[in-house]
Amino acid sequence: MKGKVKKVCVAGTGKLALSCAVHAKEKGFPVTLYDMGLKESELLKRQAKAEGVPCFYETPEDVFENLYKEEQPLLLISAINERIIPEKVLEKENIRAVNLHQALLPAHPGRNAEAWAIFEQDEKSGVTWHDVVKQVDGGGILAQKEISLDESITAWQLFRKQIECAYEAYTEIFDALIDGTIKPVPQKKRSKYKFHFKKDMPGNGILDMTWDGKKISAFLRAMDYGGVSVFEKPRLIYKGKSFWWKKYEIRHEEEKESCQQTGGEMLKITEDEIVIKKDTICIRLKNYEIAEEI
C-alpha cells in the first residue's frame, strides 16, 4: 500500500463492525461503515448514528464500486462480512484490506469456523486478523488470539467470545496498520483443513448414532447458535423416521439421576423426549417432532 492511511472503511455487520468504526473515529480518522448484512440492520443504523459514524446499506456491488473509486490511502476493515472483496479492489495500491476470521488460521477456513472447531473437538479456537488476498482466508496473519474450548461451549457462546477477542486484537494492531509497520506472517499450509462453504453443516446436520457420546455432544453444541438461524435444524434419523427437537440437555455420568429412566438402553423414545446414552454421557432431546417418514 502506498502512503499513510488517510481514511478508514469498515465493511461488516453487528457489534464488532461498529466497534471497529468507532475506534477509528476516536483515533481521528474519517470513517465510513457499510452494513454488509443480508438485510439492513435498523439497530446498527441507530447505534452508528448515536456514535456519529456514517452508516450505509447498499448492494455489495455498489459498496465495492465506491471503494474502487477511492483515491486516498484507505484501510478497509472486513469484520463479520460474508461478502468476498473483489480483486479489482484488492489490487488498488491505495487500499489495504484486512479481515477477521473466527479461527486460528490456517485451521477451519471458510464459513462458520466456530462451529467446525467445536464439532472437530479442538482443544482451542480463537481469532485471526489477516490481510485479504485472492485466496479466501489465505492472507498473511497480522494477529491471533487463542480461546480454550471445554466440553460445554456452544457455537453461539464461542462466537461471542471471539468478537471480544477480535476487538481487543484490532485495537492492538490498529496503529501499526495505519503506519504500515505491521508485517504479515505467511500462513502454514492448510492441507489438513477442508474449506467450508455456507451450505456445509457439521455431520451434514444429522446426529449419527455410531458416534461416541463426546462426538454427539460436540455435534449438538456446534449446531447451537442460541436461536439464531445459521444452520438448518439438526435431525436424528431412526427406524425410518426423521426427528428434530427444540431443546437438548447433555449430562455426564456423575449426574446419575439424569438417565435413570432409560433402563440402560442406548436410545429410548418417550412421549416427551428422546434419551440417548453413550459412554459416560446422557443426552436428552426435548420437545421433539417427527419431521417426515423416511
Side-chain angles (χ1 to χ4, degrees):
M1 175 179 178
K2 288 186 177 180
K4 185 176 179 180
V5 170
K6 300 296 184 183
K7 299 174 67 175
V8 176
C9 176
V10 180
T13 193
K15 178 181 178 181
L16 180 63
L18 177 60
S19 296
C20 289
V22 170
H23 183 78
K25 177 177 177 290
E26 290 175 346
K27 286 282 188 173
F29 290 90
V31 61
T32 300
L33 172 59
Y34 285 110
D35 179 359
M36 302 298 283
L38 296 179
K39 62 180 181 178
E40 184 174 14
S41 170
E42 292 297 329
L43 176 60
L44 181 60
K45 182 193 295 185
R46 290 196 303 271
Q47 291 175 333
K49 183 178 181 180
E51 295 287 354
V53 172
C55 180
F56 303 96
Y57 184 79
E58 301 178 5
T59 67
E61 293 78 13
D62 286 343
V63 171
F64 295 131
E65 187 62 27
N66 291 341
L67 292 171
Y68 179 71
K69 293 177 180 178
E70 180 60 54
E71 296 300 330
Q72 293 193 61
L74 174 76
L75 176 62
L76 172 58
I77 304 295
S78 174
I80 313 299
N81 168 35
E82 64 179 64
R83 310 292 188 177
I84 295 176
I85 301 171
E87 284 185 61
K88 72 175 188 178
V89 173
L90 299 179
E91 290 172 352
K92 292 204 68 180
E93 293 185 348
N94 65 306
I95 293 178
R96 183 175 193 175
V98 302
N99 177 63
L100 169 72
H101 185 67
Q102 289 114 280
L104 297 172
L105 289 173
H108 306 299
R111 294 295 301 275
N112 305 316
E114 60 282 346
W116 291 102
I118 293 172
F119 182 64
E120 297 296 339
Q121 299 173 271
D122 295 349
E123 293 183 357
K124 61 184 179 180
S125 181
V127 296
T128 303
W129 284 102
H130 64 93
D131 276 328
V132 182
V133 296
K134 181 179 178 180
Q135 182 188 30
V136 177
D137 296 332
I141 293 170
L142 302 168
Q144 289 188 318
K145 284 190 178 291
E146 294 185 358
I147 299 171
S148 297
L149 303 182
D150 58 31
E151 294 183 2
S152 65
I153 195 166
T154 67
W156 178 242
Q157 290 167 345
L158 176 55
F159 178 82
R160 294 184 66 178
K161 287 187 176 184
Q162 288 170 326
I163 296 304
E164 293 176 1
C165 287
Y167 180 68
E168 182 180 349
Y170 166 79
T171 60
E172 291 171 355
I173 64 173
F174 182 82
D175 290 345
L177 286 170
I178 294 297
D179 294 337
T181 55
I182 189 168
K183 303 301 180 185
V185 177
Q187 292 188 38
K188 296 178 181 178
K189 292 183 179 180
R190 70 186 193 194
S191 55
K192 174 183 175 183
Y193 297 98
K194 177 183 176 182
F195 187 94
H196 293 289
F197 295 90
K198 184 176 182 178
K199 62 181 177 61
D200 296 333
M201 294 189 292
N204 293 318
I206 298 173
L207 191 159
D208 188 339
M209 284 300 297
T210 66
W211 291 334
D212 63 23
K214 289 186 176 181
K215 188 67 173 180
I216 294 175
S217 169
F219 169 78
L220 292 170
R221 293 181 288 108
M223 299 290 287
D224 183 355
Y225 278 85
V228 179
S229 297
V230 174
F231 297 121
E232 295 179 8
K233 292 183 177 69
R235 295 183 297 151
L236 167 68
I237 297 175
Y238 183 70
K239 291 187 176 181
K241 296 180 180 179
S242 176
F243 300 85
W244 65 270
W245 52 92
K246 295 181 180 179
K247 298 180 181 179
Y248 68 92
E249 287 183 1
I250 300 170
R251 300 290 181 89
H252 294 267
E253 188 176 52
E254 59 269 20
E255 301 170 274
K256 294 182 180 179
E257 77 285 354
S258 64
C259 283
Q260 287 179 351
Q261 297 180 23
T262 65
E265 297 177 19
M266 185 176 71
L267 186 149
K268 183 174 181 178
I269 300 176
T270 70
E271 184 177 338
D272 301 317
E273 61 186 6
I274 301 171
V275 184
I276 300 170
K277 286 178 65 176
K278 277 292 188 91
D279 313 311
T280 62
I281 295 177
C282 177
I283 292 159
R284 293 177 178 274
L285 309 178
K286 299 178 175 247
N287 304 117
Y288 72 86
E289 293 184 16
I290 300 175
E292 57 187 9
E293 299 287 338
I294 304 300

